[in-house]
Amino acid sequence: MRKAWLRRGMFYLALLGLWELVFRCKVWPPYLFPSPQQVADAIIAGFQDRTLPIGIAISLRRIGIGYGCSIVLGMVLGLMTARNRVFEETVGSLILALQALPSVCWLPAALLWFGLNDQAILFVVLMGATLAMAIAAHDGVKGIPPIYIKAAQTMGTRGLHLYTRVLLPASLPAVITGMKQGWSFAWRSLMAGELLFVSLGLGHLLQMGRELNDIAQVFAVIVVIVVIGLVVDQGVFAPVERRVRMRWGLTLPDWK
Amino acid sequence: MTAIELQIDRVSKAFRTGRGQIGALQDISLEVAEGELVCLVGPSGCGKSTLLSVVAGLEPPDAGQVILDGQPVQGPGPERILIFQDGGLFPWLTVLENVTFGLRERGLPLEERRQRAMEVLRLVHLERFKDAYIHELSGGMRQRVAIARGLVLSPRILLMDEPFAALDTQTRDLLVEELRGLHEELKNTILFVTHHVREAVYLADRVVLFTFQPGRIKHIYPLEVPRPRDPDDPSLEALVREIVEALHVEVERALNEEYRRA
Ligand SMILES: Nc1ncnc2c1ncn2[C@@H]1O[C@H](COP(=O)(O)OP(=O)(O)OP(=O)(O)O)[C@@H](O)[C@H]1O
Ligand SMILES: [Mg+2]
């Protein structure tokens, strides 16, 4: 564990060194390729003039709402398609079909429907994460050994309890993996959506960097977007996933 | 014996598969008295598990019916608990939570659930493991939890489908002994599927021998010897040999049938 962190740290340090080296060799002109120092300064400046914290807050708020709704909606859709043949054949096939479409393609339609506002972006986020979530939940429930359901039924489980006390916990490992995937879909969809019109979020700051010809700012925002995505993935999902898999007895021993 | 509790009345069941129709059960009739322990033996694939599923209400029969206390069985219910070959315990719950699961469905308050579950866990000597997760237990312990999870609901009928099949002989002998003790104490009606004729003769009030496809009852062997029985009792030994021989005939028929098809 500690070793892994050490290796990771060394790797990123080396990467930073390489970046600095490329900058110093002047492979590309500085207005196209900033130094690590310039990017760090841009991040600090962004925090000082509050544009970054505000952008982060706006984007996080959007993803909170959009992703939260996606999870609920995706779970419901996944459970329904997994348990009902007709739903699976109809709605299920539609979900699979739509999953092939990058969610940002919905933006033009969303702008026409909702106008230039948050709802349009939320719609894009929803389309990005809900489908992935629904598919994961569907597969998770389908993969539950029937013996669990039978055992519960003989013990008197009926109706809604079958979902809340058996299907949901039994598919939780798969569902969490789906949530993790849904998160990255949601985050990517949000950034794509925010890029495309004046929206005040991080994606918009990225676009502003381009308009101002400020490559350091563009890089600074990219770094922030990546870090947020990574922190949520590694800081929230990875430990939860590990805990659940351990409790469900799904982990393999580590060979040293 | 006391009143007839469970009546399996001319039950037939066939499965349609890609390779044609498989007659799992044909015209099975069996009456089981309250508190009776009946062992089912027969060649692999003769329909023993199918019969238990039908009695549990997990599979509808094609013809015939199962009657419990005068009421025809329609669907699963906690008065008929099926204990599966590999347990079917919930890995997301602790031992205690597994055992209280059915009581919770029944709407019992938390304190009473815990108390009853602990009593049953004590019966199977697992009270120390109440907070363990299922994957932390040995195979034998898991089967005991599965039995406790069934027992705690005080079912009228306990349906046990080779619950000890996956265990080593020593653990198995221990658990068979434990089951005998439990039956003596609680007097549940038990339908017990096993491949071990010796085990069946040691435990049962009656041993039912099945034929292979279609699954029919070939013979029923009653046992009058009081329990606990001496495993070396010569009269039991003779019966074991008799059943094993009859079983061999069926197993051979089953194998021939399978080779002929293949
Ligand atoms: N769901 C099913 N679909 C199709 N065929 C089935 C199904 N369940 C059981 N069968 C078939 O019915 C027959 C009886 O199966 P069953 O599981 O009841 O046998 P068994 O006596 O319990 O065998 P074993 O001792 O090996 O457990 C077998 O030939 C099996 O292939
Ligand atoms: Mg079987």
Side-chain angles (χ1 to χ4, degrees), chain B residues 23-246:
Chain B
L25 298 171
Q26 196 175 67
D27 218 17
I28 302 280
S29 288
L30 183 69
E31 293 183 341
V32 183
E34 197 174 335
E36 201 180 6
L37 201 170
V38 176
C39 284
L40 312 178
V41 297
S44 179
C46 71
K48 304 177 299 286
S49 298
T50 308
L51 183 62
L52 290 198
S53 289
V54 170
V55 175
L58 293 170
E59 295 263 11
D62 295 340
Q65 55 182 348
V66 175
I67 297 168
L68 180 67
D69 292 329
Q71 296 292 319
V73 161
Q74 271 153 349
E79 73 286 349
R80 286 162 284 124
I81 290 291
L82 177 56
I83 294 172
F84 299 90
Q85 192 163 331
D86 43 6
L89 296 168
F90 300 142
W92 58 91
L93 300 177
T94 63
V95 166
L96 186 66
E97 287 164 347
N98 263 283
V99 177
T100 52
F101 186 92
L103 298 175
R104 188 166 162 219
E105 293 298 348
R106 212 172 268 183
L108 256 63
L110 180 72
E111 217 13 73
E112 193 178 343
R113 294 203 298 255
R114 278 186 62 97
Q115 198 184 325
R116 284 223 220 161
M118 285 312 290
E119 270 167 34
V120 181
L121 281 175
R122 221 163 284 134
L123 279 180
V124 296
H125 310 293
L126 278 177
E127 67 267 43
R128 280 200 312 121
F129 290 91
K130 66 179 168 61
D131 295 321
Y133 284 100
I134 302 309
H135 69 96
E136 299 165 343
L137 304 179
S138 74
M141 287 151 93
R142 283 179 212 189
Q143 279 311 327
R144 274 142 73 197
V145 176
I147 291 170
R149 187 172 77 164
L151 279 181
V152 78
L153 296 172
S154 330
R156 302 293 310 270
I157 314 249
L158 210 52
L159 306 160
M160 307 178 83
D161 192 0
E162 303 185 44
F164 310 140
L167 308 177
D168 65 277
T169 350
Q170 284 83 9
T171 316
R172 194 184 171 106
D173 288 348
L174 270 173
L175 288 189
V176 166
E177 194 48 40
E178 217 163 79
L179 179 67
R180 190 196 57 72
L182 284 174
H183 180 247
E184 192 170 298
E185 202 173 318
L186 305 174
K187 308 239 176 330
N188 298 74
T189 309
I190 298 180
L191 281 187
F192 186 92
V193 172
T194 176
H195 276 126
H196 276 220
V197 174
R198 189 170 294 279
E199 187 174 288
V201 167
Y202 180 73
L203 281 173
D205 293 305
R206 283 188 291 163
V207 177
V208 178
L209 177 65
F210 278 73
T211 62
F212 181 75
Q213 280 177 21
R216 284 209 201 94
I217 294 181
K218 184 174 188 186
H219 197 76
I220 299 181
Y221 304 84
L223 278 129
E224 304 292 342
V225 186
R227 280 173 298 235
R229 294 171 184 154
D230 175 7
D232 301 322
D233 182 333
S235 71
L236 292 184
E237 197 61 40
L239 185 62
V240 168
R241 220 169 301 129
E242 189 186 335
I243 298 176
V244 166
E245 264 161 35

Side-chain angles (χ1 to χ4, degrees), chain A residues 27-203:
Chain A
V27 181
W28 295 285
Y31 59 87
L32 291 184
F33 192 82
S35 72
Q37 184 60 49
Q38 287 168 338
V39 173
D41 287 344
I43 292 175
I44 292 167
F47 272 96
Q48 273 164 353
D49 68 14
R50 312 255 315 275
T51 51
L52 263 182
I54 290 171
I56 291 173
I58 288 175
S59 289
L60 284 184
R61 200 182 90 90
R62 283 186 185 132
I63 194 125
I65 298 170
Y67 179 60
C69 294
S70 296
I71 288 179
V72 176
L73 204 65
M75 272 315 299
V76 171
L77 280 173
L79 283 173
M80 282 188 345
T81 51
R83 291 294 292 175
N84 183 302
R85 181 81 146 282
V86 177
F87 260 117
E88 182 168 24
E89 286 161 0
T90 55
V91 180
S93 75
L94 182 68
I95 289 174
L96 283 176
L98 291 182
Q99 174 68 352
L101 186 71
S103 62
V104 72
C105 296
W106 288 103
L107 191 66
L111 289 176
L112 291 176
W113 290 335
F114 302 108
L116 281 168
N117 57 33
D118 265 22
Q119 278 161 19
I121 288 194
L122 286 180
F123 182 77
V124 171
V125 173
L126 212 64
M127 290 313 285
T130 306
L131 302 177
M133 191 61 220
I135 290 170
H138 171 270
D139 293 350
V141 171
K142 280 280 169 177
I144 296 174
I147 194 171
Y148 293 152
I149 300 169
K150 289 184 182 176
Q153 283 174 337
T154 65
M155 287 189 285
T157 305
R158 295 280 176 280
L160 199 62
H161 281 178
L162 191 65
Y163 288 83
T164 55
R165 293 184 182 171
V166 184
L167 298 180
L168 212 61
S171 62
L172 198 59
V175 164
I176 286 178
T177 308
M179 282 168 77
K180 203 169 115 170
Q181 240 173 33
W183 157 259
S184 66
F185 272 114
W187 190 232
R188 277 185 250 171
S189 307
L190 178 66
M191 290 307 122
E194 284 184 347
L195 258 179
L196 292 181
F197 70 94
V198 181
S199 64
L200 305 173
L202 282 173

